[in-house]
Amino acid sequence: QLKYDHPNFTYQIQGQLGDGGVYVSVWTDQTVPDNLVGVAGLNIEFIPMPYFGHTYIMDGKAGVIPQYPDDKMTVMKTGGIEQNPIAVGKKFDIAPDDAERHITVSSTEQDLMFYDGRNKAQNGCFVLRSLLPAGKSGKVLELFITAETIPEKTLRYQKKN
């Protein structure tokens, strides 16, 4: 069980195998507090280096993984900066051109937002983020994750163990 202290908000993250992948879901007995709406979410982080030069696809629209930080930023009225996502959608493929790195993440309800986290931290990662919805309890978020495999490498790994 995970928790935000202020305000008091508890939730659980669960994973379940099925349909050739993993269902990752967020469960809570309460609705997301007002001051966490648009803030609380689930992140999946990708270490940048293995993905340089590869592509991503979000809802059928392709892009190239940037080698240098390339996220768009918005200057807020307060003077701070806010990151804008590189892409937004319901189905995300990273490195579909490389069977060793290809991962697909999909969401039926909440948007997936793809960010270049290196804009805010030099050692940052690429981040796929989905926000927890307001006014909902129980299973509030579910992502389905699959990874492409190479049969020869999978068999070789299994034989070593």
Side-chain angles (χ1 to χ4, degrees), residues 5-19:
D5 287 327
H6 300 288
N8 186 20
F9 176 63
T10 57
Y11 60 98
Q12 294 180 348
I13 299 174
Q14 297 178 354
Q16 184 171 340
L17 294 174
D19 302 321

Side-chain angles (χ1 to χ4, degrees), residues 43-104:
N43 291 358
I44 299 173
E45 296 186 354
F46 299 94
I47 296 171
M49 189 170 282
Y51 295 100
F52 292 153
H54 292 285
T55 59
Y56 68 86
I57 301 172
M58 181 71 83
D59 288 352
K61 295 179 185 175
V64 177
I65 302 288
Q67 186 165 356
Y68 302 99
D70 191 32
D71 232 0
K72 306 297 182 224
M73 307 292 272
T74 300
V75 177
M76 308 303 287
K77 291 179 182 178
T78 60
I81 56 171
E82 182 73 26
Q83 240 177 324
N84 297 326
I86 296 171
V88 177
K90 302 284 189 199
K91 183 179 178 190
F92 176 76
D93 286 277
I94 191 166
D97 54 333
D98 184 343
E100 291 183 353
R101 292 173 178 82
H102 181 203
I103 297 171
T104 301

Side-chain angles (χ1 to χ4, degrees), residues 1-2 8-14 25-33 132-133 136-141:
Q1 188 164 1
L2 303 165
N8 186 20
F9 176 63
T10 57
Y11 60 98
Q12 294 180 348
I13 299 174
Q14 297 178 354
S25 55
V26 177
W27 292 79
T28 182
D29 293 333
Q30 58 198 110
T31 59
V32 177
L132 301 184
K136 190 174 176 184
S137 61
K139 181 170 53 174
V140 296
L141 176 67

